[in-house]
Amino acid sequence: MSFNTAITGLKAASTMLDVTGNNIANVSTTGFKSSRTEFADIYATAVVGAGSSNSPGSGVTVAGISQDFSAGTIEFTNNNLDLAINGSGFFQLSDGQGSTTYSRAGAFELNKEGQIVSKTGKFLQGYGLDADGNRLPIGNLEVSQKESPPKATESIDLSFNIDDRADSSTLLPEYNKDEPGSFTYTTTVRSFDSLGNEQTVKFNFAEQRPVRQQYAYDVTGLTNFTISGVTLDSVTDFVAGELVDNPPDNKRSALAAVDPRIDLNSIRYDGTELSFELKAAETDTGGMRVTDTSAPLIPTVEQKRDANEVRTYDLAFTGSPAGTIEIGGVTVPITAGQTHTEIAQAIKTREPQILDRNPDIEAIFINDDGVNPPQVEIRFKADVGEVAANRYQPIISNTVAAAQIDFGTATASGVASAIADPDEHVVGDNSYQGKYRLYGYLNNEELLDLGKLQDPGAGSETEPGPILISFNPRSGLLDGINVFGSDGSFTPGTQVPAITISGADPANPLTEIRLDLTNSTQFASASIVKNQQQDGYTKGDLIGVTFAPTGEMVASFSNGQNQSLGVVAFATFENQDGLRPAGDTEWIATLESGNAILNPPGTGLNGTLRSAALEQANVDLSTELVNLIQAQRNFQASSKTLETANNITQNILNI
C-alpha cells in the first residue's frame, strides 16, 4: 500500500513540475493564461464500513489543471493590427472550415485578400457594416475598401467677422470682382467636384453704399404699365402723380407685397414719365421689370443719389427786417437792411457752431446764383436716416413791426416767430447699414447662382448674381440671409437659413452646395475667417487601418477620409473555466463553458479594445519559481517514502 501511495505522490509532483514548467516556458507567449495544478487525496472505501476513521488513505491524485484567466499586462506596439482586450472577452477565430476557437492573443495581420487573420491563418470574426453603418451578421473581418472614391462638396460652413469700421462710402461706385476697392471683404473656400478635381469658391462681400437707385421710364401714350408683375392703371391708381390704394385692387399694397425693394413714396407719374427709387438697402434690381403690355421698358434715367436727408429753404422775404434765424440751437442775428446774400453768408459763418452742436448734421450749403433767391441747404449724415420733422427746423423771429419774413412757407410779423418748413425735402434713408451684397465665383471666374430670384413674385427660379445678407447695426449679429424685403430675416441667435449654391461643380451641374453662415458677425475688429469647413474630397488610397476602443475597424485614406469597415466581436461565456485549451493560445467552447455570447466591445460586461497593443502572458515568474522548488521538494519527499517502504519490505524479507 505504501508503495502505491508514494508513486501517486511522485506522479502528482511530476505533473506539478510539468504545469509549472509550461507556465515558465510561455512567460513570453502573447495572450497566454497560466495554469495551476489542483490535487485531491485518495481514500479506498468499501460499501460496508465506508468512511472509517481508521483508513490511512491511498495517496494523492491530480484533481484538475485550472487556468487563470486574469488579464495580463498590456504592452503597446507600432502595429495597428495588434489588438488587446482590456477587460473581459475573447476574440472569435474561424478556420474557414467550420471550426471556431477563441483567443486573447491579438497579433493579427492582413492576408493577400485583405482579411484580418491570426498568426495561424484563422480569420478574426466581427460585424460587417452596410452603407448606412448598420451592423451585419457575424463574419470574417476584412478591409474591403482599398480606395476612397471622390466626393463633391455639398456643404460649406463659413463664419467670419467683417470689420464694422470699414466705410462703405469709400467703395468704388461700380462693383468689379477684379477691383478690390469695389467690395469690402473677400474669402476663398476650397471645394471639390464630382470627379475629385479641386476647385475654389470665392465669396466677395460688398457693403451697401449710402445711395438710392433712381429709375425713370418714358410711358408716353400708355394707360397701363407693369412694375414687377403688378399692372398699374395710369388713371385709377394715381392721385396727383402718387401711387395710392384704390379699392378693390389696392395696387400700392400689392406692389409692396411683391417687391418691397421699391420706396412706394418715391413713385411718381406725370402722364409721360414714371419714376421711382429703391431703398438704400436694395441697390440690386434682381429681375425687377417695368413693362407695357408685353415688352420690357428701358429706363430713360438710371442713376444713384446719396441717401442723406437734405432740407432746402428759400431765403425769400419782403423788406429788410431785423430779427433772428435759429438753426439747431444756434442763433444767427439779422440786421435791418441786410440783403438775401448777406443773410445767407451770415448763416454760413455759423456753420462750425451748428455742426459742433448738432452731430447729425453733415454740412450746410448756400446755393446762390445771383439771380434767384439764395437757398440754405441742410444736409444730414447718411447714417442718421430719416430725421424727425420737428427737429432742426429753422425758427424765424422778427422784431420789426409790420415787416414780413417769408422763409419757405413760414411767416412772422411784428414780434411773432415761426418754424419754417422746407421748400424741398429729400428723404433720408439709412437702411443700407449692415447690408452686404454677397457674390460667389467658381475659380474667381464664373458667377455662381446663390439663390437670387429672377423675377419678384415669379416663383422660385433663380439666376447667377448677388444676394443680400444683413447684420443688425446695433448688435453686429447676422439677421438676414437672401433678404428680400422682410423675407429672409430672422432673429439673431436662432437658426440661420442656408444658402443654396448652384453651378459650383463643373463635372455635375446638378450638384448643389449648402452654405451655412452661422456665427458670422459685423463687429468693430479686423475682418477674419472664424471657421471654414467643407465636406468634399478627392480620391484617396488606403494608408492604414486602426481600431476604436468600441471595436470599430476604421480604414484611413490618403485624402484624409476615414471609413468604418466593421466591428470586432467579443465572445464571453457563462463559465469560461469550462473552455478547453486547443493550442496556439486558443480555446474551444465545451458543454461546461456554454455557448459563446457575442457583442461589440464596451457593451455589457465586455472589455474595450486597444489597438497597437498586445496582452502579455499573466505568468508570475517569481511564483512559478517557488512552485518549482515546492514540486521538487514534494518529489523528493515521495521518493523518500518509496525508499523507506522498500527498506521495510527488504527487512521483512530478510527475517
Side-chain angles (χ1 to χ4, degrees), residues 433-436 468-472 477-481 483 489:
Q433 292 183 328
K435 303 295 190 297
Y436 291 81
L468 197 67
I469 68 171
S470 67
F471 296 88
N472 187 309
L477 301 178
L478 191 66
D479 67 359
I481 294 290
V483 180
S489 300

Side-chain angles (χ1 to χ4, degrees), residues 25-203:
N26 286 282
V27 70
S28 297
T29 301
T30 301
F32 177 78
K33 300 303 176 184
S34 63
S35 299
R36 182 184 65 196
T37 311
E38 296 178 346
F39 303 106
D41 60 351
I42 301 175
Y43 277 84
T45 61
V47 175
V48 179
S52 171
S53 61
N54 294 324
S55 175
S58 302
V60 64
T61 185
V62 177
I65 299 175
S66 63
Q67 287 200 294
D68 178 9
F69 284 101
S70 63
T73 302
I74 293 179
E75 294 187 2
F76 294 96
T77 69
N78 294 322
N79 182 2
N80 288 334
L81 291 180
D82 287 342
L83 305 179
I85 299 174
N86 184 23
S88 301
F90 294 84
F91 298 113
Q92 187 180 55
L93 305 177
S94 172
D95 65 358
Q97 304 298 321
S99 176
T100 302
T101 56
Y102 304 91
S103 177
R104 297 273 297 192
F108 296 105
E109 58 190 21
L110 289 177
N111 64 13
K112 62 182 180 180
E113 285 81 23
Q115 297 165 319
I116 299 179
V117 297
S118 67
K119 296 301 181 180
T120 59
K122 293 184 178 180
F123 304 102
L124 177 64
Q125 301 297 286
Y127 304 93
L129 297 175
D130 63 16
D132 297 324
N134 300 312
R135 291 203 297 266
L136 300 174
I138 295 287
N140 298 342
L141 281 182
E142 61 179 332
V143 182
S144 55
Q145 294 293 110
K146 300 301 190 299
E147 64 180 21
S148 172
K151 178 184 181 299
T153 297
E154 296 178 346
S155 175
I156 294 176
D157 292 339
L158 176 64
S159 64
F160 51 84
N161 180 70
I162 296 183
D163 196 341
D164 178 65
R165 297 168 297 184
D167 187 358
S168 63
S169 65
T170 63
L171 294 177
L172 297 176
E174 300 300 328
Y175 171 79
N176 184 339
K177 71 178 179 66
D178 298 319
E179 180 52 65
S182 66
F183 47 87
T184 311
Y185 176 65
T186 183
T187 186
T188 300
V189 178
R190 184 178 67 163
S191 66
F192 294 89
D193 64 23
S194 301
L195 298 179
N197 298 306
E198 184 172 341
Q199 313 288 342
T200 61
V201 179
K202 182 179 181 181
F203 299 105

Side-chain angles (χ1 to χ4, degrees), residues 542 544-548 551-556 561-566:
L542 180 68
V545 176
T546 58
F547 290 83
E552 287 87 356
M553 180 176 65
V554 182
S556 300
Q561 298 304 303
N562 297 318
Q563 182 177 352
S564 293
L565 303 179

Side-chain angles (χ1 to χ4, degrees), residues 370-421:
V371 178
N372 298 304
Q375 293 179 322
V376 178
E377 181 181 296
I378 301 177
R379 181 183 178 91
F380 294 87
K381 294 178 180 178
D383 57 7
V384 176
E386 176 69 4
V387 180
N390 61 351
R391 298 188 65 194
Y392 306 108
Q393 298 290 74
I395 300 175
I396 308 161
S397 63
N398 178 3
T399 59
V400 179
Q404 195 77 21
I405 295 179
D406 185 354
F407 195 113
T409 60
T411 61
S413 61
V415 294
S417 63
I419 297 176
D421 292 326

